[in-house]
PDB file of all heavy atoms in Angstrom:
ATOM      1  N   SER A  48      -7.879 -67.871-103.830  1.00  0.00           N
ATOM      2  CA  SER A  48      -8.643 -69.016-104.143  1.00  0.00           C
ATOM      3  C   SER A  48      -9.012 -69.875-102.864  1.00  0.00           C
ATOM      4  O   SER A  48     -10.164 -70.255-102.668  1.00  0.00           O
ATOM      5  CB  SER A  48      -7.923 -70.036-105.128  1.00  0.00           C
ATOM      6  OG  SER A  48      -7.668 -69.386-106.332  1.00  0.00           O
ATOM      7  N   TYR A  49      -8.033 -70.027-102.007  1.00  0.00           N
ATOM      8  CA  TYR A  49      -8.265 -70.790-100.764  1.00  0.00           C
ATOM      9  C   TYR A  49      -9.228 -70.042 -99.798  1.00  0.00           C
ATOM     10  O   TYR A  49     -10.049 -70.633 -99.076  1.00  0.00           O
ATOM     11  CB  TYR A  49      -6.947 -71.191-100.084  1.00  0.00           C
ATOM     12  CG  TYR A  49      -6.341 -72.330-100.702  1.00  0.00           C
ATOM     13  CD1 TYR A  49      -5.023 -72.386-101.188  1.00  0.00           C
ATOM     14  CD2 TYR A  49      -7.023 -73.620-100.765  1.00  0.00           C
ATOM     15  CE1 TYR A  49      -4.411 -73.418-101.741  1.00  0.00           C
ATOM     16  CE2 TYR A  49      -6.401 -74.758-101.370  1.00  0.00           C
ATOM     17  CZ  TYR A  49      -5.106 -74.615-101.873  1.00  0.00           C
ATOM     18  OH  TYR A  49      -4.528 -75.752-102.476  1.00  0.00           O
ATOM     19  N   GLU A  50      -9.051 -68.712 -99.790  1.00  0.00           N
ATOM     20  CA  GLU A  50     -10.000 -67.941 -98.905  1.00  0.00           C
ATOM     21  C   GLU A  50     -11.390 -68.117 -99.445  1.00  0.00           C
ATOM     22  O   GLU A  50     -12.356 -68.236 -98.588  1.00  0.00           O
ATOM     23  CB  GLU A  50      -9.608 -66.463 -98.922  1.00  0.00           C
ATOM     24  CG  GLU A  50      -8.443 -66.098 -98.063  1.00  0.00           C
ATOM     25  CD  GLU A  50      -8.070 -64.613 -98.145  1.00  0.00           C
ATOM     26  OE1 GLU A  50      -8.266 -63.971 -99.184  1.00  0.00           O
ATOM     27  OE2 GLU A  50      -7.583 -64.073 -97.128  1.00  0.00           O
ATOM     28  N   SER A  51     -11.587 -68.058-100.749  1.00  0.00           N
ATOM     29  CA  SER A  51     -12.919 -68.206-101.339  1.00  0.00           C
ATOM     30  C   SER A  51     -13.521 -69.629-101.034  1.00  0.00           C
ATOM     31  O   SER A  51     -14.641 -69.750-100.654  1.00  0.00           O
ATOM     32  CB  SER A  51     -12.880 -68.010-102.817  1.00  0.00           C
ATOM     33  OG  SER A  51     -14.089 -68.267-103.456  1.00  0.00           O
ATOM     34  N   LEU A  52     -12.618 -70.623-101.094  1.00  0.00           N
ATOM     35  CA  LEU A  52     -13.055 -72.035-100.868  1.00  0.00           C
ATOM     36  C   LEU A  52     -13.415 -72.215 -99.436  1.00  0.00           C
ATOM     37  O   LEU A  52     -14.401 -72.871 -99.007  1.00  0.00           O
ATOM     38  CB  LEU A  52     -11.890 -73.006-101.282  1.00  0.00           C
ATOM     39  CG  LEU A  52     -11.720 -73.242-102.719  1.00  0.00           C
ATOM     40  CD1 LEU A  52     -10.369 -73.887-102.988  1.00  0.00           C
ATOM     41  CD2 LEU A  52     -12.860 -74.083-103.386  1.00  0.00           C
ATOM     42  N   LEU A  53     -12.690 -71.534 -98.491  1.00  0.00           N
ATOM     43  CA  LEU A  53     -12.892 -71.658 -97.062  1.00  0.00           C
ATOM     44  C   LEU A  53     -14.225 -71.054 -96.680  1.00  0.00           C
ATOM     45  O   LEU A  53     -14.915 -71.560 -95.736  1.00  0.00           O
ATOM     46  CB  LEU A  53     -11.732 -71.080 -96.301  1.00  0.00           C
ATOM     47  CG  LEU A  53     -11.732 -71.311 -94.692  1.00  0.00           C
ATOM     48  CD1 LEU A  53     -11.607 -72.864 -94.463  1.00  0.00           C
ATOM     49  CD2 LEU A  53     -10.438 -70.643 -94.094  1.00  0.00           C
ATOM     50  N   LYS A  54     -14.538 -69.946 -97.349  1.00  0.00           N
ATOM     51  CA  LYS A  54     -15.863 -69.371 -97.010  1.00  0.00           C
ATOM     52  C   LYS A  54     -17.067 -70.250 -97.372  1.00  0.00           C
ATOM     53  O   LYS A  54     -18.094 -70.301 -96.665  1.00  0.00           O
ATOM     54  CB  LYS A  54     -16.028 -67.984 -97.830  1.00  0.00           C
ATOM     55  CG  LYS A  54     -15.176 -66.929 -97.281  1.00  0.00           C
ATOM     56  CD  LYS A  54     -15.298 -65.608 -98.181  1.00  0.00           C
ATOM     57  CE  LYS A  54     -14.457 -64.538 -97.599  1.00  0.00           C
ATOM     58  NZ  LYS A  54     -14.479 -63.278 -98.492  1.00  0.00           N
ATOM     59  N   THR A  55     -16.895 -71.067 -98.461  1.00  0.00           N
ATOM     60  CA  THR A  55     -17.957 -71.957 -98.902  1.00  0.00           C
ATOM     61  C   THR A  55     -17.982 -73.245 -98.073  1.00  0.00           C
ATOM     62  O   THR A  55     -19.041 -73.844 -97.889  1.00  0.00           O
ATOM     63  CB  THR A  55     -17.881 -72.282-100.354  1.00  0.00           C
ATOM     64  OG1 THR A  55     -16.584 -72.881-100.578  1.00  0.00           O
ATOM     65  CG2 THR A  55     -17.980 -71.029-101.180  1.00  0.00           C
ATOM     66  N   GLN A  56     -16.816 -73.604 -97.510  1.00  0.00           N
ATOM     67  CA  GLN A  56     -16.684 -74.876 -96.718  1.00  0.00           C
ATOM     68  C   GLN A  56     -15.928 -74.526 -95.495  1.00  0.00           C
ATOM     69  O   GLN A  56     -14.705 -74.867 -95.355  1.00  0.00           O
ATOM     70  CB  GLN A  56     -16.017 -76.011 -97.567  1.00  0.00           C
ATOM     71  CG  GLN A  56     -16.846 -76.361 -98.801  1.00  0.00           C
ATOM     72  CD  GLN A  56     -16.173 -77.525 -99.543  1.00  0.00           C
ATOM     73  OE1 GLN A  56     -15.764 -78.487 -98.878  1.00  0.00           O
ATOM     74  NE2 GLN A  56     -16.073 -77.406-100.784  1.00  0.00           N
ATOM     75  N   ASN A  57     -16.588 -73.908 -94.588  1.00  0.00           N
ATOM     76  CA  ASN A  57     -15.846 -73.356 -93.365  1.00  0.00           C
ATOM     77  C   ASN A  57     -15.235 -74.457 -92.483  1.00  0.00           C
ATOM     78  O   ASN A  57     -14.203 -74.231 -91.831  1.00  0.00           O
ATOM     79  CB  ASN A  57     -16.893 -72.571 -92.476  1.00  0.00           C
ATOM     80  CG  ASN A  57     -16.221 -71.970 -91.332  1.00  0.00           C
ATOM     81  OD1 ASN A  57     -15.079 -71.344 -91.438  1.00  0.00           O
ATOM     82  ND2 ASN A  57     -16.868 -71.968 -90.178  1.00  0.00           N
ATOM     83  N   GLY A  58     -15.794 -75.613 -92.545  1.00  0.00           N
ATOM     84  CA  GLY A  58     -15.298 -76.741 -91.707  1.00  0.00           C
ATOM     85  C   GLY A  58     -14.179 -77.493 -92.336  1.00  0.00           C
ATOM     86  O   GLY A  58     -13.604 -78.505 -91.764  1.00  0.00           O
ATOM     87  N   ASN A  59     -13.826 -77.235 -93.597  1.00  0.00           N
ATOM     88  CA  ASN A  59     -12.822 -77.997 -94.320  1.00  0.00           C
ATOM     89  C   ASN A  59     -11.404 -77.700 -93.771  1.00  0.00           C
ATOM     90  O   ASN A  59     -10.818 -76.607 -93.935  1.00  0.00           O
ATOM     91  CB  ASN A  59     -12.861 -77.679 -95.860  1.00  0.00           C
ATOM     92  CG  ASN A  59     -12.017 -78.584 -96.648  1.00  0.00           C
ATOM     93  OD1 ASN A  59     -10.825 -78.747 -96.483  1.00  0.00           O
ATOM     94  ND2 ASN A  59     -12.637 -79.219 -97.578  1.00  0.00           N
ATOM     95  N   SER A  60     -10.853 -78.736 -93.160  1.00  0.00           N
ATOM     96  CA  SER A  60      -9.517 -78.500 -92.437  1.00  0.00           C
ATOM     97  C   SER A  60      -8.360 -78.283 -93.510  1.00  0.00           C
ATOM     98  O   SER A  60      -7.457 -77.589 -93.242  1.00  0.00           O
ATOM     99  CB  SER A  60      -9.246 -79.697 -91.589  1.00  0.00           C
ATOM    100  OG  SER A  60      -9.123 -80.956 -92.330  1.00  0.00           O
ATOM    101  N   PHE A  61      -8.551 -78.867 -94.643  1.00  0.00           N
ATOM    102  CA  PHE A  61      -7.470 -78.742 -95.622  1.00  0.00           C
ATOM    103  C   PHE A  61      -7.436 -77.374 -96.204  1.00  0.00           C
ATOM    104  O   PHE A  61      -6.380 -76.725 -96.272  1.00  0.00           O
ATOM    105  CB  PHE A  61      -7.741 -79.772 -96.771  1.00  0.00           C
ATOM    106  CG  PHE A  61      -6.722 -79.631 -97.877  1.00  0.00           C
ATOM    107  CD1 PHE A  61      -5.387 -80.152 -97.720  1.00  0.00           C
ATOM    108  CD2 PHE A  61      -7.044 -78.977 -99.159  1.00  0.00           C
ATOM    109  CE1 PHE A  61      -4.454 -80.027 -98.766  1.00  0.00           C
ATOM    110  CE2 PHE A  61      -6.053 -78.860-100.124  1.00  0.00           C
ATOM    111  CZ  PHE A  61      -4.764 -79.350 -99.897  1.00  0.00           C
ATOM    112  N   PHE A  62      -8.689 -76.779 -96.491  1.00  0.00           N
ATOM    113  CA  PHE A  62      -8.626 -75.414 -96.934  1.00  0.00           C
ATOM    114  C   PHE A  62      -8.102 -74.383 -95.919  1.00  0.00           C
ATOM    115  O   PHE A  62      -7.424 -73.450 -96.173  1.00  0.00           O
ATOM    116  CB  PHE A  62     -10.060 -75.013 -97.363  1.00  0.00           C
ATOM    117  CG  PHE A  62     -10.576 -75.790 -98.578  1.00  0.00           C
ATOM    118  CD1 PHE A  62     -11.926 -75.964 -98.837  1.00  0.00           C
ATOM    119  CD2 PHE A  62      -9.717 -76.382 -99.509  1.00  0.00           C
ATOM    120  CE1 PHE A  62     -12.385 -76.665 -99.920  1.00  0.00           C
ATOM    121  CE2 PHE A  62     -10.146 -77.022-100.583  1.00  0.00           C
ATOM    122  CZ  PHE A  62     -11.548 -77.228-100.776  1.00  0.00           C
ATOM    123  N   PHE A  63      -8.533 -74.737 -94.643  1.00  0.00           N
ATOM    124  CA  PHE A  63      -8.015 -73.896 -93.521  1.00  0.00           C
ATOM    125  C   PHE A  63      -6.487 -73.981 -93.479  1.00  0.00           C
ATOM    126  O   PHE A  63      -5.782 -72.837 -93.336  1.00  0.00           O
ATOM    127  CB  PHE A  63      -8.633 -74.392 -92.216  1.00  0.00           C
ATOM    128  CG  PHE A  63      -7.866 -74.008 -90.933  1.00  0.00           C
ATOM    129  CD1 PHE A  63      -7.845 -72.693 -90.470  1.00  0.00           C
ATOM    130  CD2 PHE A  63      -7.030 -74.929 -90.255  1.00  0.00           C
ATOM    131  CE1 PHE A  63      -7.204 -72.322 -89.367  1.00  0.00           C
ATOM    132  CE2 PHE A  63      -6.304 -74.549 -89.116  1.00  0.00           C
ATOM    133  CZ  PHE A  63      -6.390 -73.232 -88.726  1.00  0.00           C
ATOM    134  N   GLN A  64      -5.956 -75.164 -93.569  1.00  0.00           N
ATOM    135  CA  GLN A  64      -4.454 -75.350 -93.409  1.00  0.00           C
ATOM    136  C   GLN A  64      -3.763 -74.574 -94.551  1.00  0.00           C
ATOM    137  O   GLN A  64      -2.757 -73.899 -94.383  1.00  0.00           O
ATOM    138  CB  GLN A  64      -4.153 -76.826 -93.521  1.00  0.00           C
ATOM    139  CG  GLN A  64      -2.652 -77.126 -93.186  1.00  0.00           C
ATOM    140  CD  GLN A  64      -2.239 -76.854 -91.856  1.00  0.00           C
ATOM    141  OE1 GLN A  64      -2.876 -77.257 -90.924  1.00  0.00           O
ATOM    142  NE2 GLN A  64      -1.108 -76.121 -91.687  1.00  0.00           N
ATOM    143  N   ARG A  65      -4.269 -74.753 -95.815  1.00  0.00           N
ATOM    144  CA  ARG A  65      -3.657 -74.055 -96.934  1.00  0.00           C
ATOM    145  C   ARG A  65      -3.747 -72.571 -96.819  1.00  0.00           C
ATOM    146  O   ARG A  65      -2.815 -71.866 -97.161  1.00  0.00           O
ATOM    147  CB  ARG A  65      -4.359 -74.620 -98.254  1.00  0.00           C
ATOM    148  CG  ARG A  65      -3.859 -75.871 -98.750  1.00  0.00           C
ATOM    149  CD  ARG A  65      -2.418 -75.743 -99.318  1.00  0.00           C
ATOM    150  NE  ARG A  65      -1.997 -76.898-100.041  1.00  0.00           N
ATOM    151  CZ  ARG A  65      -1.168 -77.795 -99.625  1.00  0.00           C
ATOM    152  NH1 ARG A  65      -0.577 -77.669 -98.452  1.00  0.00           N
ATOM    153  NH2 ARG A  65      -0.828 -78.778-100.351  1.00  0.00           N
ATOM    154  N   THR A  66      -4.841 -72.046 -96.383  1.00  0.00           N
ATOM    155  CA  THR A  66      -4.977 -70.594 -96.175  1.00  0.00           C
ATOM    156  C   THR A  66      -3.994 -70.039 -95.210  1.00  0.00           C
ATOM    157  O   THR A  66      -3.346 -69.078 -95.430  1.00  0.00           O
ATOM    158  CB  THR A  66      -6.451 -70.262 -95.745  1.00  0.00           C
ATOM    159  OG1 THR A  66      -7.361 -70.824 -96.646  1.00  0.00           O
ATOM    160  CG2 THR A  66      -6.668 -68.747 -95.697  1.00  0.00           C
ATOM    161  N   VAL A  67      -3.883 -70.786 -94.084  1.00  0.00           N
ATOM    162  CA  VAL A  67      -2.831 -70.366 -93.010  1.00  0.00           C
ATOM    163  C   VAL A  67      -1.485 -70.407 -93.669  1.00  0.00           C
ATOM    164  O   VAL A  67      -0.639 -69.472 -93.469  1.00  0.00           O
ATOM    165  CB  VAL A  67      -2.953 -71.329 -91.844  1.00  0.00           C
ATOM    166  CG1 VAL A  67      -1.755 -71.115 -90.931  1.00  0.00           C
ATOM    167  CG2 VAL A  67      -4.179 -71.132 -91.055  1.00  0.00           C
ATOM    168  N   GLU A  68      -1.118 -71.477 -94.381  1.00  0.00           N
ATOM    169  CA  GLU A  68       0.217 -71.566 -94.967  1.00  0.00           C
ATOM    170  C   GLU A  68       0.488 -70.433 -96.015  1.00  0.00           C
ATOM    171  O   GLU A  68       1.639 -69.983 -96.016  1.00  0.00           O
ATOM    172  CB  GLU A  68       0.381 -72.926 -95.649  1.00  0.00           C
ATOM    173  CG  GLU A  68       0.441 -74.074 -94.569  1.00  0.00           C
ATOM    174  CD  GLU A  68       0.397 -75.534 -95.283  1.00  0.00           C
ATOM    175  OE1 GLU A  68       0.301 -75.486 -96.453  1.00  0.00           O
ATOM    176  OE2 GLU A  68       0.491 -76.458 -94.521  1.00  0.00           O
ATOM    177  N   CYS A  69      -0.524 -70.038 -96.718  1.00  0.00           N
ATOM    178  CA  CYS A  69      -0.397 -68.934 -97.690  1.00  0.00           C
ATOM    179  C   CYS A  69      -0.088 -67.645 -96.977  1.00  0.00           C
ATOM    180  O   CYS A  69       0.736 -66.827 -97.299  1.00  0.00           O
ATOM    181  CB  CYS A  69      -1.603 -68.807 -98.537  1.00  0.00           C
ATOM    182  SG  CYS A  69      -1.767 -70.121 -99.814  1.00  0.00           S
TER     183      CYS A  69
END
Side-chain angles (χ1 to χ4, degrees):
S48 297
Y49 280 122
E50 282 179 329
S51 175
L52 288 165
L53 190 59
K54 283 178 183 177
T55 59
Q56 298 183 46
N57 186 40
N59 189 304
S60 59
F61 179 77
F62 294 157
F63 159 74
Q64 186 68 48
R65 278 287 192 258
T66 305
V67 169
E68 288 171 1
C69 286

